[in-house]
Amino acid sequence: MDVMGDKATLFGTGRFVQPSGEEPTRDEAAEAAEEARHRLQAETGDVESMSVLGAMLLRRGDLDGAESLLRAATGAGDRAAANNLGVLLHQRGYPEEAAGWWRIAAVAGSAAAAHALGRHHRERGDEPAAEYWLRQSAEQGHALGAYALADLLEHRGDTAAGPWMRAAAERGHREAAYRLARALDRRAAAGEDGTGADSGAGAEDAAETAETAEAEQWYRQAAARGHRRAALHLGAILERRGELKEAGRWYLTSAKDGEARAACALGFLLRDAGDTESAAVWWLRAAQDGDGNAANALGALHAERGETQTAERWYRAAMDAGDDNGAYNLALLCAEQGRTAQAEQWYRRAAYAGHREAANALAVLLLQVGDTSGAEPWFSKAAEAGSVDAAFNLGILYAGRGEDRVALHCYERAAAAGHTEAALQVGIARLREGDEAAAERHLRCAAGGGSAEAAYRLAAVLDARRPAVSEHELGESSLNVKTECEEWYERAATQGHRRAQVRVGMLAAARGDVVEAARWYRTAAEAGSRNGAFNLGLLLAREGSEPEAAVWWERAADAGHGRAALRLALVYARRGELAVGQQWADRAVALGPAEVTERAGRLRDALREELSA
């Protein structure tokens, strides 16, 4: 039990023993002189000096020297001495006798004694008596009494705890300030504004902002008084706000006081600033104090350096500290090294502990070895735990079985959480169903998330809404302004989508921009697009470069493009190379489509007759 004291009079008279950890520093020479003075006066029978000298000796741990003085002063009616005598007896192991003296002092008006007596009763399970005496202490303005009363009421779930916790914080109690800040933080996070059921959204937001700001103030007060966890939380608030320099100072303060989480957070700040060596020092300190997150960070650092054995050691240390990420990271390390059996073992360990990404990774691993039935429950478990990737993967699994409705439900679940590819799949499904509005909404989400296929399909939806215009084979028209659909085509094209590249080329040609059209057609053709190669050939032929056009048509025809084969048949026929022309006509007949087959058939027959003439 902490040594008790009357905060109101301690600094002025020294007659009440300060609680441990809050004793003011004093000049040793001045204190020695004061002690000598009080000793002389105590020898003359001065009650106040006996009380003060007894408190000084008690504070120094000289229980034998203090007891006789405190008993004498108590006998003379000094309430401070009665309180301190209770402290001394409690330290000697006589709690009941201590309580008797605290009661005498408390009845005489000592707030410190009332606090001590209240704690005594609480330790023995007598909460009504504890509450009575703690309330006596708190109502006299005693910070420790207010805090202890708040703690008792909070333990019982009594809403009256809040005002007393605030009172203790306002009187300088650092733990009360910290706990008050935590309570405000939780209320802001839960959206509890305390303004009544009729308050609007604006009032709620304002109240939450006010509570967050007030929480920060109390964290500051507690941190300034040396509360290391308050310094940690204050650092986190500042880091989220982007005030990294001040955040680092508070993390450093907390870390130096032994807070492992602050040391770990400081390590991440230093790493982000590019100082990995200093980061490693703080992570090491935190990891040695049992912080699993820091151990994982050290493991990742060594893994990046190729020091896999050291990385594995730290991942194991993270597991020993109870951090499931250690098993997950160890599994990733084993998977990278091709140690599939060990990877599965560690994925399972993390997954059984509730690590959702480990459950998803385990399912993927099982799927890769053909164990579909084993993968499904892990995908389901991970998805239920909130893994977006697992929900998407589960959709792929069901789609592969032909269970499209179930697959769509999984895709919708993942898409709602922001999964780009899932949104694309939902958009495609809605297009098949004819729900263009829903399709467009999901395609926009996926395209905005970076999906080239979604950007292309969205552009196609918008393109289909444009009014029809008369076009030549290249699609030339008088359009001169880029539409939204062309912008989406271009976004997909710049991401390497070949069909989008061809379409952008066609739209450029429609605007009369031959150079831009040729650039996109060539890009698509070189990436393997037969339509790109065919259209590039058309463009080159139109510009008078038929030999080069034939090269691209041949590439397109070899890839199965019937119209390109027909163009080649015509080229060779004009050159007089009838046999070669007939061969390409035969190829065009086989490749189609129907219109090409018909035209190529007539050309082939004509060439055959010419050759047999």
Side-chain angles (χ1 to χ4, degrees):
M1 185 172 185
D2 289 343
V3 177
M4 304 303 166
D6 192 328
K7 199 176 185 70
T9 58
L10 171 67
F11 299 125
T13 68
R15 295 177 61 198
F16 292 83
V17 175
Q18 183 77 355
S20 60
E22 296 185 16
E23 185 173 342
T25 56
R26 303 181 63 173
D27 182 81
E28 292 183 3
E31 188 169 342
E34 183 182 1
E35 179 179 339
R37 179 174 63 82
H38 283 301
R39 191 174 295 279
L40 288 173
Q41 292 178 352
E43 289 173 355
T44 65
D46 186 273
V47 174
E48 183 175 347
S49 291
M50 285 190 289
S51 179
V52 171
L53 181 58
M56 294 174 73
L57 295 175
L58 175 59
R59 195 160 38 233
R60 200 161 64 211
D62 183 0
L63 303 188
D64 291 334
E67 184 170 357
S68 58
L69 290 165
L70 293 174
R71 285 190 180 277
T74 298
D78 190 288
R79 71 174 189 181
N83 173 62
N84 291 335
L85 180 58
V87 173
L88 185 148
L89 292 168
H90 190 276
Q91 291 182 11
R92 286 193 183 278
Y94 302 109
E96 297 304 327
E97 188 178 353
W101 290 112
W102 281 330
R103 182 181 296 275
I104 290 171
V107 170
S110 170
H115 167 240
L117 187 58
R119 288 189 57 178
H120 169 80
H121 284 298
R122 188 175 181 188
E123 287 171 1
R124 276 149 184 75
D126 187 353
E127 289 197 2
E131 181 180 350
Y132 174 82
W133 288 111
L134 291 175
R135 193 176 295 277
Q136 293 295 317
S137 175
E139 288 175 351
Q140 292 180 64
H142 194 274
L144 294 173
Y147 173 73
L149 177 60
D151 185 68
L152 175 64
L153 295 173
E154 188 176 279
H155 176 72
R156 291 208 309 245
D158 193 327
T159 56
W164 286 114
M165 192 69 75
R166 183 178 293 275
E170 289 171 348
R171 293 164 190 169
H173 195 289
R174 69 182 188 185
E175 182 66 24
Y178 170 73
R179 288 178 63 173
L180 178 58
R182 294 294 294 145
L184 290 166
D185 252 354
R186 286 191 293 270
R187 284 173 56 187
E192 297 174 2
D193 59 12
T195 59
D198 295 331
S199 62
E204 291 179 3
D205 292 342
E208 289 171 20
T209 302
E211 286 176 342
T212 302
E214 186 182 3
E216 181 180 342
Q217 292 175 0
W218 289 116
Y219 280 135
R220 282 188 182 278
Q221 178 171 312
R225 292 176 175 271
H227 197 291
R228 68 187 191 186
R229 285 175 295 166
L232 167 66
H233 284 282
L234 179 57
I237 290 172
L238 294 166
E239 182 181 0
R240 287 193 298 270
R241 207 157 61 208
E243 300 176 24
L244 303 184
K245 189 173 181 179
E246 188 180 357
R249 287 200 298 269
W250 285 112
Y251 282 148
L252 179 61
T253 299
S254 181
K256 284 182 175 179
D257 285 340
E259 181 59 54
R261 290 175 296 170
C264 180
L266 180 59
F268 282 111
L269 273 188
L270 291 166
R271 182 205 62 182
D272 293 344
D275 189 355
T276 54
E277 295 304 318
S278 296
V281 170
W282 286 105
W283 282 334
L284 178 61
R285 182 167 175 174
Q288 288 174 337
D289 286 339
D291 189 283
N293 196 21
N296 272 315
L298 281 173
L301 183 63
H302 287 289
E304 289 172 3
R305 295 172 177 173
E307 301 165 357
T308 55
Q309 289 185 336
T310 307
E312 183 170 337
R313 178 167 62 85
W314 281 114
Y315 288 148
R316 289 180 181 274
M319 285 191 293
D320 292 340
D323 193 321
D324 299 329
N325 284 316
Y328 176 62
N329 289 332
L330 186 54
L332 292 174
L333 187 66
C334 292
E336 289 173 2
Q337 296 172 337
R339 296 154 57 192
T340 306
Q342 291 93 329
E344 181 180 344
Q345 171 193 348
W346 295 117
Y347 280 141
R348 283 188 183 276
R349 174 166 174 170
Y352 276 120
H355 195 293
R356 66 188 188 189
E357 297 309 324
N360 178 60
L362 175 60
V364 171
L365 192 65
L366 293 171
L367 206 58
Q368 288 171 346
V369 298
D371 187 1
T372 307
S373 60
E376 182 181 347
W378 286 112
F379 277 140
S380 296
K381 184 174 182 179
E384 288 169 3
S387 171
V388 181
D389 288 335
F392 176 68
N393 290 335
L394 197 57
I396 294 175
L397 192 65
Y398 285 121
R401 295 177 182 171
E403 301 178 40
D404 293 337
R405 297 309 304 173
V406 183
L408 179 58
H409 175 71
C410 294
Y411 288 144
E412 287 176 329
R413 184 174 178 180
H419 195 286
T420 298
E421 291 304 311
L424 169 62
Q425 294 302 319
V426 175
I428 292 172
R430 296 304 180 213
L431 278 177
R432 284 198 302 265
E433 296 169 355
D435 188 351
E436 190 175 292
E440 180 181 345
R441 186 172 64 254
H442 283 96
L443 290 174
R444 285 188 182 277
C445 290
S451 170
E453 181 66 23
Y456 171 74
R457 288 178 179 268
L458 174 60
V461 168
L462 298 172
D463 203 1
R465 297 176 186 167
R466 296 198 306 163
V469 293
S470 59
E471 296 181 329
H472 296 256
E473 191 169 8
L474 287 179
E476 295 179 359
S477 74
S478 59
L479 297 175
N480 294 311
V481 180
K482 287 185 180 180
T483 60
E484 185 187 5
C485 77
E486 187 170 359
E487 291 174 355
W488 283 113
Y489 278 135
E490 285 188 358
R491 181 180 295 196
T494 55
Q495 293 177 258
H497 195 287
R498 292 182 301 180
R499 286 178 295 169
Q501 289 167 346
V502 172
R503 188 61 183 148
V504 171
M506 293 176 68
L507 292 170
R511 291 196 308 273
D513 191 344
V514 177
V515 175
E516 182 75 357
R519 180 174 74 86
W520 283 112
Y521 287 152
R522 190 178 299 276
T523 300
E526 290 175 348
S529 169
R530 63 187 187 182
N531 286 328
F534 174 69
N535 283 4
L536 180 57
L538 289 176
L539 197 64
L540 291 167
R542 186 69 56 84
E543 295 298 313
S545 301
E546 189 174 84
E548 187 181 355
V551 172
W552 288 106
W553 283 334
E554 185 171 345
R555 181 181 291 193
D558 287 340
H561 199 289
R563 285 189 174 85
L566 177 57
R567 287 278 176 174
L568 284 170
L570 292 168
V571 168
Y572 284 107
R574 283 196 298 270
R575 291 179 184 175
E577 300 179 37
L578 304 183
V580 178
Q582 183 182 348
Q583 290 173 1
W584 282 113
D586 283 337
R587 178 79 66 85
V589 169
L591 292 175
E595 178 189 350
V596 171
T597 297
E598 182 183 351
R599 292 176 59 191
R602 291 198 301 268
L603 177 61
R604 179 190 60 188
D605 294 341
L607 291 173
R608 184 180 295 123
E609 290 177 6
E610 186 71 20
L611 286 169
S612 61

